[in-house]
């Protein structure tokens, strides 16, 4: 037998002759270095091996590259739920339950009629404990931020400065930008920036409310820090005003509807977590159409947002927010998002409002109304820019929010013109019953046009949400400009071209 030099150098011909006689190889080749074997030699060895082992048996030729794979195996939904759903639910409950339990403790103490000092102190303590459970060493960023905010507001109040809201906004902006650019690690900052955003909104709102007189007396230390670190809103939100916090901690109402409302919101949050983690991952598995994949990725992001929204709704309700009295009947209602108006939208403007109701109210009250003197479009653009700054110096979020502002404004203007021209209920906002239009909302043509505009909104949402994919390696540090543009380039920048065409049509008419 002629020896191959490369094989002889590696010691292959020193093996026991029995292995060579029956054409088999030893089972343990872990000690054999194959890195220096030429590729053509390895291919020949593997071909001979498969010829000896399988030949023309029922499995066919393993080197038959014309083999066409069959359809992918059908998904076993029960097994998928066991493998994905149950662990996801377990982990979600483990993460969220401490916040809910701490919120219940604060509410129960307030329900006993305990002194307000104790309630504020417990609210502060429970909030700091939960922050430590979630962020560990990053907690000091939030503590420093709140201290700076209170110190500034106290100094301005003592000196009688009339623009505390604007000054607190400048402080928050400088603090957040400095931390993100020069102090915090990207991964660490990305984890804590949501809580930082909520805290910034609270500090700024206290400043503006002091200016307007909604807060009659300057908050005490415990009132301020109990509000800033209220366990019902300190991690996932939502934003609540200082006045609503005082009302929640002053009420002594504790009943079955309260606990039922909080637990119902928590159940909805777990459902949204399952949809985001387990359902969307298997949606459109057997198609390669990129727009269906874009819709799937955007849906996964939106349902994850609904998970956060319903979680914050549950914690806020359990701590005491949302109590309403109608005809001596007490109910609990603190909506954070309206998912049905996002998934089946009438317009992009409706999506903007329904995405996060408390934040929409904050932006409208403290940003839009303050900048309305600049004009409607500058005020809208400034509002979306303020939202982008609160979310951090992130090109992805800024690009999405500014694009959403432009798209919403163009749609609003176009539909307003069409509604006026045809006397039809086709504007971005649903008309009131006494609107006076000739063609009301149940007119067939009106229904078709509103459905088309709704479908266009869904198209824009898929495009804008496609870069929020949960599989990206950049997720832990935040997405950069290259990631965002590559996602939009994959979809041929279609939404922006449609926006340009829509604006041209709006301008021409």
């Amino acid at each position: 037998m002629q020896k191959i030099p490369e094989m002889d150098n590696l010691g292959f011909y020193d093996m026991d002759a029995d292995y060579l006689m029956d054409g088999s190889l030893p089972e343990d080749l872990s000690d054999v270095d194959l890195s220096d074997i030429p590729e053509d030699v390895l291919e020949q060895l593997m071909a001979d091996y498969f010829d000896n082992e399988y030949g023309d048996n029922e499995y066919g030729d393993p080197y038959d590259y014309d083999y066409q794979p069959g359809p992918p195996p059908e998904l076993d939904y029960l097994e998928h739920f066991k493998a994905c759903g149950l662990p996801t639910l377990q982990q979600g409950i483990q993460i969220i339950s401490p916040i809910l339990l701490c919120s219940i403790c604060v509410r129960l103490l307030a329900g006993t009629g305990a002194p307000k000092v104790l309630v504020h102190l417990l609210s502060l303590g429970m909030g700091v404990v939960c922050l430590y459970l979630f962020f560990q060493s990053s907690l000091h960023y939030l503590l420093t931020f709140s201290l700076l905010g209170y110190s500034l507001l106290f100094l301005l109040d003592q000196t009688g400065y009339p623009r505390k809201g604007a000054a607190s906004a400048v402080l928050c902006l400088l603090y957040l930008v400095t931390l993100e650019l020069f102090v915090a690690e990207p991964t660490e900052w990305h984890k804590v920036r949501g809580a930082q955003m909520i805290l910034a909104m609270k500090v700024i709102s206290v400043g503006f409310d002091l200016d307007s007189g909604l807060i009659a007396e300057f908050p005490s230390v415990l009132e301020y820090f109990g509000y800033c670190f209220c366990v019902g809103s300190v991690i996932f939100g939502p934003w609540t005003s200082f006045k609503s916090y005082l009302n929640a901690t002053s009420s002594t109402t504790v009943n079955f509807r309260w606990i039922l409302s909080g637990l119902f919101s928590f159940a909805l949050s777990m459902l949204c977590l399952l949809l985001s983690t387990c359902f969307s991952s298997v949606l459109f598995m057997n198609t390669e159409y990129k727009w269906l994949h874009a819709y799937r990725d955007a849906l996964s992001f939106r349902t994850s947002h609904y998970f956060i929204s319903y979680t914050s709704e549950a914690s806020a309700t359990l701590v005491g927010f949302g109590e309403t009295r109608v005809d001596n009947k007490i109910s609990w209602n603190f909506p954070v998002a309206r998912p049905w108006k996002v998934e089946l939208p009438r317009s992009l403007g409706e999506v903007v409002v329904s995405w996060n109701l408390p934040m929409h109210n904050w932006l409208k009250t403290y940003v839009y109304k303050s900048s309305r003197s600049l004009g409607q479009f500058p005020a809208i653009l400034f509002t979306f820019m303020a939202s982008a700054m609160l979310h951090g110096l992130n090109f992805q979020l800024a690009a999405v929010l500014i694009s959403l502002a432009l798209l919403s404004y163009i749609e609003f203007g176009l539909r307003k013109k069409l509604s006026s021209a045809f006397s039809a209920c086709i504007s971005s906002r649903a008309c009131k019953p006494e609107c006076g239009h000739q063609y009301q909302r149940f007119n067939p043509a009106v229904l078709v046009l509103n459905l088309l505009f709704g479908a266009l909104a869904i198209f824009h949402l898929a495009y804008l949400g496609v870069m929020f994919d949960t599989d990206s390696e950049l997720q832990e540090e935040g997405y950069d400009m290259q990631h965002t543009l590559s996602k939009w380039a994959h979809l041929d920048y279609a939404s922006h071209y449609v926006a340009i065409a829509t604006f041209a049509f709006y301008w021409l008419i």
Side-chain angles (χ1 to χ4, degrees):
M1 179 175 60
Q2 184 179 2
K3 293 184 178 182
I4 302 174
E6 291 84 356
M7 307 299 294
D8 192 19
N9 294 335
L10 291 171
F12 266 69
Y13 294 104
D14 295 332
M15 297 178 183
D16 193 290
D18 291 337
Y19 291 120
L20 301 177
M21 292 298 292
D22 61 13
S24 62
L25 292 174
E27 296 182 0
D28 186 9
L29 295 178
S30 59
D31 296 331
V32 179
D33 184 9
L34 304 179
S35 59
D36 295 328
I37 302 177
E39 185 176 349
D40 56 340
V41 175
L42 279 176
E43 288 182 358
Q44 183 60 43
L45 284 172
M46 295 302 299
D48 293 341
Y49 172 75
F50 278 108
D51 283 341
N52 292 332
E53 288 293 321
Y54 301 106
D56 297 327
N57 60 17
E58 59 180 348
Y59 299 103
D61 183 3
Y63 281 87
D64 182 7
Y65 294 105
D66 293 330
Y67 170 72
Q68 297 295 327
E74 294 186 2
L75 180 66
D76 189 331
Y77 290 98
L78 181 59
E79 291 299 324
H80 179 66
F81 178 75
K82 291 180 180 179
C84 179
L86 293 179
T88 299
L89 283 176
Q90 182 181 5
Q91 186 176 11
I93 293 172
Q94 289 177 347
I95 292 174
I96 303 303
S97 56
I99 301 176
L100 303 184
L101 291 175
C102 289
S103 299
I104 291 173
C105 289
V106 173
R107 185 62 192 166
L108 291 177
L109 180 64
T112 63
K116 298 299 178 290
V117 172
L118 293 180
V119 178
H120 296 316
L121 189 60
L122 183 64
S123 175
L124 167 62
M126 291 295 188
V128 171
V129 168
C130 287
L131 282 172
Y132 181 78
L133 291 176
F134 273 78
F135 305 124
Q136 285 85 37
S137 59
S138 301
L139 172 61
H140 67 278
Y141 294 135
L142 294 159
L143 295 175
T144 303
F145 192 9
S146 61
L147 284 169
L148 288 174
Y150 188 79
S151 300
L152 176 67
L153 291 173
F154 180 77
L155 289 174
L156 296 179
D157 184 71
Q158 294 298 309
T159 57
Y161 186 73
R163 299 179 64 84
K164 304 177 188 65
S168 60
V170 172
L171 170 69
C172 292
L173 178 63
L174 291 176
Y175 182 81
L176 295 176
V177 170
T178 302
L179 248 65
E180 185 167 2
L181 293 181
F182 305 109
V183 180
E185 294 292 329
T187 302
E188 187 179 19
W189 176 255
H190 186 69
K191 292 178 181 178
V192 77
R193 73 177 182 183
Q196 293 274 29
M197 179 183 70
I198 296 297
L199 181 56
M201 294 169 66
K202 289 181 177 181
V203 173
I204 294 172
S205 67
V206 169
F208 278 105
D209 288 349
L210 285 170
D211 293 338
S212 64
L214 287 177
I215 301 178
E217 297 181 0
F218 191 82
S220 67
V221 173
L222 281 180
E223 286 177 337
Y224 172 84
F225 285 99
Y227 166 62
C228 287
F229 293 99
C230 176
V231 67
S233 60
V234 69
I235 296 177
F236 297 113
W239 169 80
T240 57
S241 67
F242 180 74
K243 185 177 180 180
S244 64
Y245 166 76
L246 292 181
N247 292 336
T249 53
S250 299
S251 173
T252 59
T253 304
V254 175
N255 57 22
F256 180 71
R257 286 189 177 183
W258 158 69
I259 193 71
L260 185 63
S261 298
L263 294 180
F264 180 70
S265 297
F266 176 60
L268 289 177
S269 74
M270 291 296 102
L271 175 61
C272 292
L273 180 62
L274 284 177
L275 292 176
S276 174
T277 306
C278 300
F279 172 75
S280 61
S281 62
V282 299
L283 196 63
F284 306 129
M285 290 180 59
N286 298 327
T287 180
E288 296 297 327
Y289 187 52
K290 61 184 179 182
W291 277 100
L292 289 179
H293 288 181
Y295 177 82
R296 177 196 62 198
D297 294 341
L299 177 64
S300 176
F301 167 69
R302 293 197 301 271
T303 48
S304 68
H305 169 74
Y306 304 148
F307 159 66
I308 297 297
S309 298
Y310 280 119
T311 298
S312 63
E313 183 177 312
S315 61
T317 300
L318 291 176
V319 89
F321 293 102
E323 179 183 352
T324 56
R325 296 174 181 264
V326 179
D327 298 330
N328 294 324
K329 293 183 179 180
I330 301 175
S331 60
W332 302 83
N333 184 31
F334 194 88
V336 176
R338 295 178 180 141
W340 59 94
K341 291 193 174 183
V342 177
E343 298 304 316
L344 299 173
R346 176 186 175 90
S347 65
L348 284 175
E350 188 176 65
V351 171
V352 170
V353 173
S354 303
W355 183 256
N356 190 325
L357 296 172
M359 187 165 193
H360 169 74
N361 292 333
W362 187 92
L363 290 169
K364 181 179 179 180
T365 302
Y366 302 111
V367 182
Y368 179 76
K369 289 183 178 180
S370 299
S371 57
R372 185 65 188 271
S373 59
L374 302 175
Q376 185 179 23
F377 178 70
I380 292 174
L381 193 60
F382 187 70
T383 301
F384 278 87
M385 290 177 63
S387 177
M389 293 300 296
L390 284 172
H391 284 86
L393 299 178
N394 187 295
F395 176 83
Q396 175 203 39
L397 286 170
V400 169
L401 290 172
I402 293 175
S403 297
L404 187 59
L406 296 173
L407 291 169
S408 302
Y409 181 78
I410 294 171
E411 181 196 35
F412 175 81
L414 174 62
R415 296 181 71 168
K416 183 179 180 181
K417 279 190 175 183
L418 293 176
S419 176
S420 176
F422 296 103
S423 186
C425 297
I426 55 175
S427 58
S428 294
R429 296 176 182 175
C431 292
K432 297 180 180 180
E434 63 277 7
C435 65
H437 287 137
Q438 180 179 354
Y439 301 102
Q440 296 290 316
R441 57 180 178 174
F442 292 116
N443 181 276
V446 171
L447 287 174
V448 170
L449 282 175
N450 284 330
L451 285 174
L452 290 176
F453 277 113
L456 182 62
I458 293 175
F459 162 77
H460 286 310
L461 288 177
Y463 177 83
L464 294 174
V466 69
M467 76 283 299
F468 294 97
D469 58 304
T470 56
D471 294 331
S472 175
E473 296 178 356
L474 298 173
Q475 186 185 18
E476 292 187 358
E477 297 184 4
Y479 303 100
D480 55 14
M481 181 174 66
Q482 182 179 0
H483 176 268
T484 302
L485 295 180
S486 66
K487 290 288 185 179
W488 281 348
H490 180 64
L491 297 177
D492 306 314
Y493 296 101
S495 181
H496 286 97
Y497 287 128
V498 171
I500 294 172
T502 306
F503 178 75
F505 180 66
Y506 160 71
W507 184 72
L508 289 173
I509 65 173

